[in-house]
Coordinates of all heavy atoms in Angstrom, one line a residue:
M1322 N 5.9 15.9 -10.6 CA 6.3 14.6 -10.4 C 6.7 14.4 -8.9 O 7.4 15.2 -8.3 CB 7.5 14.3 -11.3 CG 8.0 12.8 -11.2 SD 6.9 11.6 -12.1 CE 7.0 12.2 -13.8
I1323 N 6.1 13.3 -8.3 CA 6.5 12.9 -7.0 C 7.0 11.5 -6.9 O 6.6 10.7 -7.8 CB 5.3 13.1 -6.0 CG1 4.2 12.1 -6.4 CG2 4.8 14.5 -5.9 CD1 3.1 12.0 -5.3
T1324 N 7.8 11.2 -5.9 CA 8.2 9.8 -5.8 C 7.8 9.3 -4.4 O 8.0 9.9 -3.4 CB 9.8 9.7 -5.8 OG1 10.2 10.3 -7.1 CG2 10.3 8.3 -5.7
C1325 N 7.1 8.2 -4.4 CA 6.7 7.5 -3.2 C 7.8 6.6 -2.8 O 8.3 5.8 -3.5 CB 5.4 6.7 -3.5 SG 4.9 5.7 -2.0
C1326 N 8.3 6.9 -1.6 CA 9.4 6.1 -1.0 C 8.8 5.2 0.0 O 8.3 5.7 1.0 CB 10.4 7.1 -0.4 SG 11.8 6.2 0.4
I1327 N 8.9 3.9 -0.2 CA 8.4 2.9 0.8 C 9.6 2.3 1.5 O 10.5 1.7 0.8 CB 7.6 1.8 0.1 CG1 6.5 2.4 -0.8 CG2 7.0 0.9 1.2 CD1 5.7 1.4 -1.6
D1328 N 9.7 2.6 2.7 CA 10.8 2.1 3.6 C 10.3 0.9 4.3 O 9.4 1.0 5.1 CB 11.2 3.2 4.5 CG 12.4 2.9 5.4 OD1 13.1 1.9 5.1 OD2 12.6 3.6 6.4
Y1329 N 11.0 -0.2 4.1 CA 10.6 -1.5 4.7 C 11.6 -1.9 5.8 O 12.8 -1.8 5.6 CB 10.6 -2.6 3.7 CG 9.6 -2.5 2.6 CD1 10.0 -2.0 1.3 CD2 8.3 -3.0 2.7 CE1 9.1 -1.9 0.3 CE2 7.4 -2.9 1.7 CZ 7.8 -2.3 0.5 OH 6.9 -2.3 -0.5
T1330 N 11.1 -2.3 6.9 CA 11.9 -3.1 7.8 C 11.5 -4.6 7.6 O 10.3 -4.9 7.7 CB 11.6 -2.7 9.3 OG1 11.9 -1.3 9.4 CG2 12.5 -3.5 10.3
I1331 N 12.4 -5.4 7.2 CA 12.1 -6.8 6.9 C 12.8 -7.7 7.8 O 13.7 -7.4 8.6 CB 12.6 -7.1 5.4 CG1 14.1 -6.9 5.3 CG2 11.9 -6.2 4.4 CD1 14.7 -7.3 3.9
D1332 N 12.3 -8.9 7.8 CA 12.9 -10.0 8.6 C 14.1 -10.5 7.8 O 13.9 -11.1 6.7 CB 11.9 -11.1 8.9 CG 12.4 -12.2 9.7 OD1 13.7 -12.4 9.7 OD2 11.6 -12.9 10.4
P1333 N 15.3 -10.3 8.2 CA 16.5 -10.8 7.4 C 16.5 -12.3 7.2 O 17.2 -12.7 6.3 CB 17.7 -10.3 8.2 CG 17.2 -10.1 9.6 CD 15.7 -9.7 9.5
H1334 N 15.8 -13.0 8.0 CA 15.7 -14.5 7.8 C 14.7 -14.9 6.8 O 14.6 -16.1 6.4 CB 15.4 -15.2 9.2 CG 16.4 -14.8 10.2 ND1 17.7 -15.3 10.2 CD2 16.3 -14.1 11.3 CE1 18.4 -14.8 11.2 NE2 17.5 -14.1 12.0
R1335 N 14.0 -13.9 6.3 CA 13.0 -14.1 5.3 C 13.2 -13.3 4.0 O 12.3 -12.9 3.3 CB 11.6 -13.9 5.8 CG 11.2 -14.9 6.9 CD 9.8 -14.7 7.4 NE 9.4 -15.8 8.3 CZ 9.2 -15.7 9.6 NH1 9.3 -14.5 10.1 NH2 8.9 -16.7 10.3
L1336 N 14.5 -13.0 3.8 CA 14.9 -12.2 2.7 C 14.4 -12.7 1.3 O 14.0 -12.0 0.4 CB 16.4 -11.9 2.6 CG 16.9 -11.0 1.5 CD1 16.3 -9.6 1.6 CD2 18.4 -10.9 1.6
D1337 N 14.5 -14.1 1.2 CA 14.0 -14.7 -0.1 C 12.5 -14.4 -0.3 O 12.1 -14.2 -1.4 CB 14.3 -16.2 -0.1 CG 15.8 -16.5 -0.2 OD1 16.6 -15.7 -0.5 OD2 16.1 -17.7 0.1
A1338 N 11.7 -14.5 0.7 CA 10.3 -14.2 0.6 C 10.1 -12.8 0.2 O 9.2 -12.5 -0.6 CB 9.6 -14.6 1.9
F1339 N 10.8 -11.8 0.8 CA 10.7 -10.4 0.4 C 11.1 -10.2 -1.0 O 10.5 -9.4 -1.7 CB 11.4 -9.5 1.4 CG 11.2 -8.0 1.0 CD1 10.1 -7.4 1.5 CD2 12.1 -7.4 0.2 CE1 9.9 -6.1 1.1 CE2 11.9 -6.1 -0.1 CZ 10.8 -5.4 0.3
E1340 N 12.2 -10.8 -1.4 CA 12.7 -10.7 -2.8 C 11.6 -11.2 -3.8 O 11.4 -10.5 -4.8 CB 14.0 -11.4 -3.0 CG 14.7 -11.0 -4.3 CD 16.2 -11.4 -4.3 OE1 16.7 -11.9 -3.3 OE2 16.8 -11.1 -5.4
E1341 N 11.0 -12.2 -3.5 CA 9.9 -12.7 -4.3 C 8.8 -11.7 -4.4 O 8.2 -11.4 -5.5 CB 9.4 -14.1 -3.8 CG 8.2 -14.7 -4.6 CD 8.5 -14.9 -6.0 OE1 9.7 -15.2 -6.4 OE2 7.6 -14.9 -6.9
Y1342 N 8.4 -11.2 -3.2 CA 7.4 -10.1 -3.2 C 7.8 -8.9 -4.1 O 7.0 -8.4 -4.9 CB 7.3 -9.7 -1.7 CG 6.5 -8.4 -1.4 CD1 5.1 -8.5 -1.3 CD2 7.2 -7.2 -1.2 CE1 4.4 -7.3 -0.9 CE2 6.4 -6.1 -0.9 CZ 5.1 -6.1 -0.8 OH 4.3 -5.0 -0.4
A1343 N 9.0 -8.5 -4.0 CA 9.5 -7.4 -4.8 C 9.5 -7.7 -6.3 O 9.1 -6.9 -7.1 CB 10.9 -7.0 -4.4
R1344 N 9.8 -8.9 -6.7 CA 9.9 -9.3 -8.1 C 8.5 -9.4 -8.7 O 8.3 -9.2 -9.9 CB 10.5 -10.7 -8.2 CG 12.0 -10.7 -8.3 CD 12.5 -12.0 -8.8 NE 13.7 -12.3 -8.1 CZ 13.9 -13.3 -7.3 NH1 13.0 -14.2 -7.1 NH2 15.1 -13.5 -6.7
R1345 N 7.5 -9.6 -7.9 CA 6.1 -9.7 -8.4 C 5.5 -8.3 -8.7 O 4.5 -8.2 -9.5 CB 5.2 -10.4 -7.4 CG 5.5 -11.8 -7.2 CD 4.6 -12.4 -6.1 NE 4.9 -13.8 -5.9 CZ 4.2 -14.6 -5.0 NH1 3.2 -14.1 -4.4 NH2 4.6 -15.8 -4.8
W1346 N 6.0 -7.2 -8.1 CA 5.3 -5.9 -8.2 C 5.5 -5.2 -9.5 O 4.5 -4.5 -9.9 CB 5.8 -5.0 -7.1 CG 5.1 -5.2 -5.8 CD1 5.7 -5.5 -4.6 CD2 3.7 -5.0 -5.6 NE1 4.7 -5.6 -3.6 CE2 3.5 -5.3 -4.2 CE3 2.6 -4.7 -6.4 CZ2 2.2 -5.3 -3.6 CZ3 1.4 -4.6 -5.8 CH2 1.2 -4.9 -4.5
P1347 N 6.6 -5.2 -10.3 CA 6.7 -4.4 -11.5 C 5.5 -4.4 -12.4 O 5.0 -3.3 -12.7 CB 8.0 -4.8 -12.1 CG 8.8 -5.3 -11.0 CD 7.8 -6.0 -10.0
P1348 N 5.0 -5.5 -12.9 CA 3.9 -5.4 -13.8 C 2.6 -4.9 -13.2 O 1.8 -4.2 -13.8 CB 3.7 -6.8 -14.3 CG 4.3 -7.7 -13.3 CD 5.4 -6.9 -12.7
I1349 N 2.4 -5.2 -11.9 CA 1.2 -4.7 -11.2 C 1.3 -3.2 -11.0 O 0.3 -2.5 -11.3 CB 1.1 -5.4 -9.8 CG1 1.1 -6.9 -9.9 CG2 0.0 -4.9 -9.0 CD1 1.3 -7.7 -8.6
I1350 N 2.4 -2.7 -10.6 CA 2.6 -1.2 -10.4 C 2.3 -0.5 -11.7 O 1.6 0.5 -11.8 CB 4.0 -0.9 -9.8 CG1 4.1 -1.4 -8.4 CG2 4.3 0.5 -9.9 CD1 5.4 -1.4 -7.8
E1351 N 2.9 -1.0 -12.8 CA 2.8 -0.3 -14.1 C 1.3 -0.4 -14.5 O 0.8 0.6 -15.0 CB 3.7 -1.0 -15.1 CG 5.1 -0.9 -14.8 CD 5.7 0.5 -15.0 OE1 5.2 1.3 -15.8 OE2 6.7 0.8 -14.2
R1352 N 0.7 -1.5 -14.4 CA -0.7 -1.7 -14.8 C -1.7 -0.7 -14.0 O -2.7 -0.2 -14.5 CB -1.1 -3.1 -14.6 CG -2.6 -3.5 -15.0 CD -2.8 -5.0 -15.0 NE -2.7 -5.6 -13.6 CZ -1.8 -6.6 -13.4 NH1 -1.0 -7.0 -14.3 NH2 -1.7 -7.1 -12.1
C1353 N -1.3 -0.5 -12.7 CA -2.2 0.3 -11.9 C -1.9 1.8 -12.0 O -2.5 2.6 -11.3 CB -2.1 -0.2 -10.4 SG -2.9 -1.8 -10.2
G1354 N -0.8 2.2 -12.7 CA -0.6 3.6 -13.0 C 0.7 4.2 -12.4 O 0.9 5.4 -12.5
G1355 N 1.5 3.4 -11.7 CA 2.8 3.9 -11.2 C 4.0 3.6 -12.1 O 3.8 2.9 -13.1
R1356 N 5.1 4.3 -11.9 CA 6.3 4.0 -12.7 C 7.4 3.6 -11.6 O 7.9 4.5 -10.9 CB 6.8 5.2 -13.4 CG 7.9 4.9 -14.4 CD 8.4 6.0 -15.2 NE 9.3 6.9 -14.5 CZ 10.6 6.6 -14.2 NH1 11.0 5.4 -14.6 NH2 11.3 7.5 -13.6
L1357 N 7.6 2.3 -11.6 CA 8.6 1.8 -10.6 C 10.0 2.2 -11.0 O 10.5 1.9 -12.1 CB 8.5 0.3 -10.6 CG 9.4 -0.4 -9.6 CD1 9.1 -0.1 -8.2 CD2 9.3 -1.9 -9.8
I1358 N 10.7 2.9 -10.1 CA 12.1 3.1 -10.2 C 12.9 1.9 -9.8 O 13.8 1.5 -10.5 CB 12.5 4.3 -9.3 CG1 11.8 5.6 -9.9 CG2 14.0 4.5 -9.3 CD1 12.0 6.8 -9.0
G1359 N 12.4 1.2 -8.7 CA 13.1 0.0 -8.3 C 12.8 -0.4 -6.9 O 12.4 0.4 -6.1
Y1360 N 13.1 -1.7 -6.6 CA 13.1 -2.2 -5.2 C 14.6 -2.4 -4.9 O 15.4 -2.8 -5.8 CB 12.4 -3.5 -5.2 CG 11.0 -3.4 -4.8 CD1 10.0 -3.1 -5.8 CD2 10.5 -3.5 -3.5 CE1 8.7 -3.0 -5.5 CE2 9.2 -3.3 -3.2 CZ 8.3 -3.1 -4.2 OH 7.0 -2.9 -3.9
F1361 N 15.0 -2.1 -3.7 CA 16.4 -2.1 -3.3 C 16.5 -3.0 -2.0 O 15.7 -2.7 -1.1 CB 16.9 -0.7 -3.1 CG 16.8 0.1 -4.3 CD1 15.7 0.9 -4.6 CD2 17.9 0.2 -5.2 CE1 15.6 1.6 -5.7 CE2 17.8 0.9 -6.4 CZ 16.6 1.7 -6.6
L1362 N 17.3 -4.0 -2.1 CA 17.5 -4.9 -1.0 C 18.8 -4.7 -0.2 O 19.7 -4.1 -0.8 CB 17.4 -6.4 -1.5 CG 16.2 -6.7 -2.4 CD1 16.3 -8.1 -2.9 CD2 14.9 -6.6 -1.5
P1363 N 18.9 -5.2 1.0 CA 20.1 -5.0 1.8 C 21.3 -5.7 1.1 O 21.2 -6.8 0.5 CB 19.9 -5.6 3.1 CG 18.5 -6.2 3.1 CD 17.9 -5.9 1.7
K1364 N 22.5 -5.0 1.1 CA 23.7 -5.5 0.6 C 24.8 -5.5 1.7 O 25.4 -6.5 2.0 CB 24.1 -4.8 -0.7 CG 25.4 -5.2 -1.3 CD 25.4 -6.6 -1.8 CE 26.7 -7.0 -2.5 NZ 26.8 -8.4 -2.7
E1365 N 25.1 -4.3 2.2 CA 26.0 -4.0 3.2 C 25.3 -3.2 4.3 O 24.4 -2.5 4.0 CB 27.3 -3.3 2.7 CG 28.1 -4.1 1.7 CD 28.8 -5.3 2.3 OE1 29.1 -5.3 3.4 OE2 28.9 -6.3 1.5
G1366 N 25.8 -3.3 5.5 CA 25.2 -2.5 6.6 C 24.0 -3.2 7.1 O 24.0 -4.5 7.2
A1367 N 23.0 -2.5 7.5 CA 21.8 -3.1 8.1 C 21.2 -4.2 7.2 O 21.0 -3.9 6.0 CB 20.7 -2.0 8.4
N1368 N 20.9 -5.3 7.7 CA 20.4 -6.4 6.9 C 18.9 -6.5 7.0 O 18.3 -7.5 6.5 CB 21.0 -7.8 7.3 CG 20.6 -8.2 8.7 OD1 20.0 -7.4 9.5 ND2 21.0 -9.4 9.1
N1369 N 18.2 -5.5 7.6 CA 16.8 -5.6 7.7 C 16.1 -4.4 7.1 O 14.9 -4.1 7.4 CB 16.4 -5.7 9.2 CG 16.7 -4.4 10.0 OD1 17.6 -3.6 9.6 ND2 16.1 -4.2 11.1
K1370 N 16.7 -3.7 6.2 CA 16.1 -2.5 5.5 C 16.0 -2.8 4.0 O 17.0 -3.3 3.4 CB 17.0 -1.3 5.7 CG 17.0 -0.8 7.2 CD 15.6 -0.3 7.5 CE 15.5 0.3 8.9 NZ 14.2 0.6 9.2
A1371 N 14.9 -2.4 3.4 CA 14.7 -2.5 2.0 C 13.9 -1.2 1.6 O 13.4 -0.5 2.5 CB 13.9 -3.7 1.6
L1372 N 13.9 -0.9 0.3 CA 13.3 0.3 -0.1 C 12.7 0.1 -1.5 O 13.2 -0.7 -2.3 CB 14.5 1.4 -0.3 CG 14.1 2.8 -0.6 CD1 13.4 3.4 0.6 CD2 15.4 3.6 -0.9
A1373 N 11.6 0.8 -1.7 CA 11.0 0.8 -3.1 C 10.7 2.3 -3.4 O 10.3 3.1 -2.6 CB 9.6 0.1 -3.1
L1374 N 10.9 2.6 -4.7 CA 10.7 4.0 -5.2 C 9.8 3.9 -6.4 O 10.1 3.2 -7.3 CB 12.0 4.6 -5.6 CG 13.1 4.8 -4.5 CD1 14.4 5.3 -5.0 CD2 12.6 5.8 -3.4
I1375 N 8.7 4.6 -6.3 CA 7.7 4.6 -7.4 C 7.3 6.0 -7.7 O 6.9 6.8 -6.8 CB 6.4 3.8 -7.0 CG1 6.8 2.4 -6.4 CG2 5.4 3.7 -8.1 CD1 5.6 1.7 -5.7
E1376 N 7.3 6.4 -9.0 CA 7.0 7.8 -9.4 C 5.5 7.9 -9.8 O 5.0 7.0 -10.4 CB 7.9 8.2 -10.5 CG 9.3 8.6 -10.1 CD 10.1 9.2 -11.2 OE1 9.9 8.9 -12.4 OE2 11.0 10.0 -10.8
F1377 N 5.0 9.1 -9.6 CA 3.6 9.5 -10.0 C 3.6 10.9 -10.4 O 4.5 11.7 -10.0 CB 2.7 9.3 -8.8 CG 2.6 7.9 -8.3 CD1 3.4 7.5 -7.2 CD2 1.7 7.0 -8.9 CE1 3.3 6.2 -6.7 CE2 1.7 5.7 -8.4 CZ 2.5 5.3 -7.3
E1378 N 2.7 11.2 -11.3 CA 2.6 12.6 -11.8 C 2.2 13.6 -10.7 O 2.6 14.7 -10.7 CB 1.6 12.7 -12.9 CG 2.0 12.1 -14.2 CD 3.3 12.8 -14.8 OE1 3.3 14.0 -14.8 OE2 4.2 12.1 -15.2
S1379 N 1.4 13.1 -9.7 CA 0.9 13.9 -8.6 C 0.4 13.1 -7.5 O 0.2 11.8 -7.6 CB -0.3 14.8 -9.2 OG -1.4 14.0 -9.6
L1380 N 0.0 13.7 -6.4 CA -0.6 13.0 -5.3 C -2.0 12.4 -5.7 O -2.4 11.3 -5.3 CB -0.8 13.8 -4.1 CG 0.5 14.0 -3.2 CD1 0.3 15.0 -2.1 CD2 0.9 12.7 -2.6
A1381 N -2.7 13.1 -6.6 CA -4.0 12.7 -7.1 C -3.8 11.4 -7.9 O -4.5 10.4 -7.8 CB -4.6 13.7 -8.0
A1382 N -2.7 11.3 -8.7 CA -2.4 10.1 -9.5 C -2.0 9.0 -8.5 O -2.4 7.8 -8.8 CB -1.2 10.4 -10.4
Y1383 N -1.4 9.3 -7.4 CA -1.1 8.2 -6.4 C -2.4 7.7 -5.8 O -2.5 6.5 -5.7 CB -0.1 8.8 -5.3 CG 0.0 7.9 -4.2 CD1 0.8 6.7 -4.3 CD2 -0.7 8.1 -3.0 CE1 0.9 5.9 -3.2 CE2 -0.5 7.2 -1.9 CZ 0.3 6.1 -2.0 OH 0.4 5.2 -1.0
E1384 N -3.3 8.6 -5.5 CA -4.6 8.1 -5.0 C -5.3 7.2 -6.0 O -5.9 6.2 -5.6 CB -5.4 9.3 -4.6 CG -4.9 10.1 -3.4 CD -4.7 9.2 -2.1 OE1 -5.5 8.3 -1.9 OE2 -3.8 9.5 -1.3
E1385 N -5.3 7.5 -7.2 CA -5.9 6.7 -8.3 C -5.2 5.3 -8.3 O -5.9 4.3 -8.4 CB -5.9 7.4 -9.6 CG -6.8 8.6 -9.7 CD -6.6 9.3 -11.0 OE1 -5.9 8.8 -12.0 OE2 -7.1 10.5 -11.1
Y1386 N -3.9 5.4 -8.2 CA -3.1 4.1 -8.2 C -3.5 3.3 -7.0 O -3.7 2.1 -7.1 CB -1.6 4.5 -8.1 CG -0.7 3.5 -7.7 CD1 -0.2 2.5 -8.6 CD2 -0.2 3.4 -6.3 CE1 0.7 1.5 -8.1 CE2 0.6 2.4 -5.9 CZ 1.1 1.5 -6.8 OH 2.0 0.5 -6.4
R1387 N -3.6 3.9 -5.8 CA -4.0 3.1 -4.6 C -5.4 2.5 -4.8 O -5.6 1.3 -4.4 CB -4.0 4.0 -3.4 CG -2.6 4.5 -3.0 CD -1.8 3.4 -2.4 NE -2.3 3.0 -1.2 CZ -1.7 2.1 -0.4 NH1 -0.7 1.4 -0.8 NH2 -2.3 1.7 0.7
S1388 N -6.3 3.2 -5.4 CA -7.6 2.6 -5.7 C -7.6 1.4 -6.6 O -8.2 0.4 -6.4 CB -8.6 3.6 -6.2 OG -8.8 4.6 -5.3
A1389 N -6.8 1.6 -7.7 CA -6.6 0.5 -8.7 C -5.9 -0.7 -8.0 O -6.3 -1.9 -8.3 CB -5.8 1.0 -9.9
L1390 N -4.9 -0.5 -7.2 CA -4.2 -1.5 -6.5 C -5.1 -2.3 -5.6 O -5.0 -3.6 -5.5 CB -3.1 -0.9 -5.7 CG -1.8 -1.6 -5.5 CD1 -1.1 -2.0 -6.7 CD2 -0.9 -0.8 -4.6
A1391 N -6.0 -1.7 -4.9 CA -6.9 -2.3 -4.0 C -7.9 -3.3 -4.7 O -8.3 -4.3 -4.1 CB -7.8 -1.3 -3.2
E1392 N -8.1 -3.1 -6.0 CA -9.0 -4.0 -6.8 C -8.2 -5.0 -7.6 O -8.9 -5.9 -8.2 CB -9.8 -3.1 -7.7 CG -10.7 -2.1 -7.0 CD -11.7 -2.8 -6.0 OE1 -12.2 -3.8 -6.3 OE2 -11.8 -2.2 -4.9
D1393 N -6.9 -4.9 -7.7 CA -6.1 -5.8 -8.6 C -5.9 -7.2 -7.9 O -5.4 -7.2 -6.8 CB -4.8 -5.1 -8.9 CG -4.0 -5.9 -9.9 OD1 -3.4 -6.9 -9.6 OD2 -4.1 -5.5 -11.1
P1394 N -6.3 -8.3 -8.6 CA -6.2 -9.6 -7.9 C -4.7 -10.0 -7.7 O -4.4 -10.6 -6.7 CB -6.9 -10.5 -8.9 CG -7.2 -9.8 -10.1 CD -7.0 -8.3 -9.8
D1395 N -3.8 -9.6 -8.6 CA -2.4 -9.9 -8.4 C -1.8 -9.1 -7.2 O -1.0 -9.7 -6.5 CB -1.6 -9.6 -9.7 CG -2.0 -10.6 -10.8 OD1 -2.4 -11.7 -10.6 OD2 -1.8 -10.1 -12.0
A1396 N -2.2 -7.9 -7.1 CA -1.8 -7.1 -5.9 C -2.3 -7.7 -4.6 O -1.5 -7.9 -3.7 CB -2.3 -5.7 -6.0
K1397 N -3.5 -8.1 -4.6 CA -4.1 -8.8 -3.4 C -3.3 -10.1 -3.1 O -3.0 -10.3 -1.9 CB -5.5 -9.1 -3.6 CG -6.4 -7.9 -3.6 CD -7.9 -8.3 -3.9 CE -8.8 -7.1 -4.1 NZ -10.1 -7.4 -4.4
A1398 N -3.0 -10.9 -4.1 CA -2.2 -12.1 -3.9 C -0.8 -11.8 -3.4 O -0.3 -12.6 -2.5 CB -2.2 -12.9 -5.2
N1399 N -0.2 -10.8 -3.9 CA 1.1 -10.5 -3.4 C 1.1 -10.0 -2.0 O 2.0 -10.3 -1.2 CB 1.8 -9.4 -4.3 CG 3.3 -9.5 -4.3 OD1 3.9 -10.6 -3.9 ND2 4.0 -8.5 -4.7
L1400 N 0.1 -9.2 -1.6 CA 0.0 -8.8 -0.2 C -0.3 -10.0 0.7 O 0.3 -10.0 1.8 CB -1.1 -7.7 -0.1 CG -0.8 -6.4 -0.8 CD1 -2.0 -5.5 -0.8 CD2 0.4 -5.7 -0.1
D1401 N -1.0 -10.9 0.2 CA -1.3 -12.1 1.0 C 0.0 -12.9 1.2 O 0.3 -13.5 2.2 CB -2.3 -13.0 0.3 CG -3.7 -12.5 0.4 OD1 -4.0 -11.6 1.3 OD2 -4.6 -13.0 -0.3
H1402 N 0.9 -12.9 0.1 CA 2.2 -13.6 0.2 C 3.0 -13.0 1.3 O 3.6 -13.7 2.1 CB 2.9 -13.5 -1.1 CG 4.4 -13.8 -1.1 ND1 4.9 -15.0 -1.0 CD2 5.4 -12.9 -1.0 CE1 6.2 -15.0 -0.9 NE2 6.6 -13.7 -1.0
A1403 N 3.1 -11.6 1.4 CA 3.8 -10.9 2.4 C 3.3 -11.2 3.8 O 4.1 -11.4 4.7 CB 3.8 -9.4 2.1
R1404 N 2.0 -11.2 3.9 CA 1.4 -11.5 5.2 C 1.7 -13.0 5.7 O 2.1 -13.2 6.8 CB -0.1 -11.3 5.2 CG -0.5 -9.8 5.4 CD -2.0 -9.6 5.6 NE -2.8 -9.7 4.4 CZ -2.9 -8.7 3.5 NH1 -2.4 -7.6 3.8 NH2 -3.7 -8.9 2.5
S1405 N 1.5 -13.9 4.7 CA 1.7 -15.3 5.1 C 3.2 -15.6 5.4 O 3.4 -16.5 6.3 CB 1.2 -16.2 4.0 OG 1.9 -16.2 2.9
T1406 N 4.1 -15.0 4.7 CA 5.5 -15.3 5.0 C 6.1 -14.4 6.1 O 7.2 -14.7 6.6 CB 6.4 -15.0 3.7 OG1 6.3 -13.7 3.3 CG2 6.0 -16.0 2.6
E1407 N 5.3 -13.3 6.5 CA 5.8 -12.4 7.5 C 7.2 -11.8 7.2 O 8.0 -11.6 8.2 CB 5.7 -13.1 8.9 CG 4.4 -13.5 9.3 CD 4.3 -14.2 10.7 OE1 5.3 -14.8 11.1 OE2 3.2 -14.1 11.3
C1408 N 7.4 -11.6 6.0 CA 8.7 -11.0 5.6 C 8.8 -9.5 5.9 O 9.9 -9.0 6.0 CB 9.0 -11.4 4.1 SG 7.9 -10.7 2.9
I1409 N 7.7 -8.8 5.9 CA 7.7 -7.4 6.2 C 7.3 -7.2 7.7 O 6.2 -7.6 8.1 CB 6.8 -6.6 5.3 CG1 7.2 -6.9 3.8 CG2 6.7 -5.2 5.6 CD1 6.2 -6.4 2.8
L1410 N 8.1 -6.5 8.4 CA 7.8 -6.2 9.8 C 7.2 -4.8 9.9 O 6.2 -4.6 10.7 CB 9.1 -6.2 10.7 CG 9.8 -7.6 10.6 CD1 11.1 -7.5 11.4 CD2 8.9 -8.7 11.1
V1411 N 7.7 -3.8 9.2 CA 7.2 -2.4 9.2 C 7.3 -1.9 7.8 O 8.3 -2.1 7.1 CB 8.0 -1.6 10.2 CG1 7.5 -0.1 10.2 CG2 8.0 -2.1 11.6
E1412 N 6.3 -1.1 7.4 CA 6.3 -0.4 6.1 C 5.9 1.0 6.3 O 4.9 1.3 7.0 CB 5.3 -1.2 5.2 CG 5.2 -0.6 3.9 CD 4.2 -1.5 3.0 OE1 4.1 -2.7 3.2 OE2 3.4 -0.8 2.2
A1413 N 6.7 2.0 5.9 CA 6.4 3.4 6.0 C 6.6 4.1 4.7 O 7.6 3.8 4.0 CB 7.4 4.0 7.1
R1414 N 5.6 5.0 4.4 CA 5.7 5.7 3.1 C 6.0 7.2 3.4 O 5.5 7.8 4.3 CB 4.4 5.7 2.4 CG 4.1 4.4 1.7 CD 2.7 4.4 1.0 NE 2.5 3.1 0.3 CZ 2.3 2.0 0.9 NH1 2.2 1.8 2.2 NH2 2.1 0.9 0.1
S1415 N 6.8 7.8 2.5 CA 7.0 9.2 2.4 C 7.0 9.6 1.0 O 7.2 8.8 0.1 CB 8.3 9.6 3.1 OG 9.4 9.0 2.5
F1416 N 6.8 10.9 0.7 CA 6.7 11.4 -0.7 C 7.8 12.4 -0.9 O 7.9 13.4 0.0 CB 5.3 11.9 -1.0 CG 4.3 10.9 -0.9 CD1 3.7 10.5 0.3 CD2 3.9 10.1 -2.1 CE1 2.7 9.5 0.3 CE2 3.0 9.1 -2.0 CZ 2.4 8.8 -0.8
L1417 N 8.5 12.3 -1.9 CA 9.7 13.1 -2.2 C 9.5 13.8 -3.6 O 8.8 13.3 -4.4 CB 10.9 12.3 -2.2 CG 11.2 11.4 -1.0 CD1 12.3 10.5 -1.2 CD2 11.4 12.2 0.2
R1418 N 10.2 14.9 -3.7 CA 10.3 15.6 -5.0 C 11.7 15.7 -5.4 O 12.6 15.8 -4.5 CB 9.5 16.9 -5.0 CG 10.1 17.9 -4.1 CD 9.4 19.2 -4.2 NE 9.9 20.2 -3.2 CZ 11.0 20.9 -3.4 NH1 11.7 20.8 -4.5 NH2 11.4 21.7 -2.4
R1419 N 12.0 15.7 -6.7 CA 13.4 15.9 -7.1 C 13.8 17.3 -6.9 O 13.1 18.2 -7.1 CB 13.5 15.5 -8.6 CG 13.3 14.0 -8.8 CD 13.6 13.6 -10.2 NE 13.1 12.3 -10.4 CZ 13.9 11.3 -10.9 NH1 15.1 11.6 -11.3 NH2 13.4 10.1 -11.1
A1420 N 15.1 17.4 -6.5 CA 15.7 18.8 -6.4 C 16.0 19.4 -7.7 O 16.2 18.7 -8.7 CB 16.9 18.7 -5.5

């Protein structure tokens, strides 16, 4: 089991747009083969950081997920939403395993 950690730098003035983006993902992620642990938004401290955690059986399963995501019309629409609102400034992925 691996966890994809998506570290977002967001525009704090567009937090509502990012929150809408995050709310749209759960059914898309599940349909495409991931298991969403959750999206996490700023509460205290830095107001421009957000995080998403998604589990996969393996890196191969993640690659299959990415292929399915690229073809999913709802995923494409959500990415268009993020681009048009410019709520995401930087997005970085890392892969973790549980200790």
Side-chain angles (χ1 to χ4, degrees):
M1322 184 73 63
I1323 62 165
T1324 302
C1325 176
C1326 175
I1327 308 173
D1328 183 15
Y1329 296 97
T1330 302
I1331 61 173
D1332 183 334
H1334 303 291
R1335 294 186 170 112
L1336 183 58
D1337 289 345
F1339 182 82
E1340 192 164 359
E1341 177 62 28
Y1342 169 83
R1344 275 197 215 115
R1345 293 178 183 183
W1346 277 120
I1349 301 167
I1350 290 169
E1351 297 292 329
R1352 181 170 63 240
C1353 291
R1356 190 178 81 72
L1357 180 65
I1358 295 171
Y1360 270 83
F1361 302 88
L1362 305 175
K1364 176 68 176 164
E1365 295 292 329
N1368 66 353
N1369 67 339
K1370 291 294 182 184
L1372 188 69
L1374 299 173
I1375 308 167
E1376 284 188 329
F1377 299 93
E1378 288 298 318
S1379 64
L1380 280 174
Y1383 170 75
E1384 291 300 328
E1385 290 173 14
Y1386 161 83
R1387 293 290 291 179
S1388 294
L1390 210 59
E1392 300 301 319
D1393 189 279
D1395 293 333
K1397 290 177 185 179
N1399 205 24
L1400 292 171
D1401 286 343
H1402 163 79
R1404 279 190 281 276
S1405 68
T1406 61
E1407 299 179 334
C1408 60
I1409 299 171
L1410 304 175
V1411 178
E1412 181 177 323
R1414 283 179 177 72
S1415 58
F1416 295 87
L1417 309 171
R1418 62 178 176 83
R1419 291 184 192 234

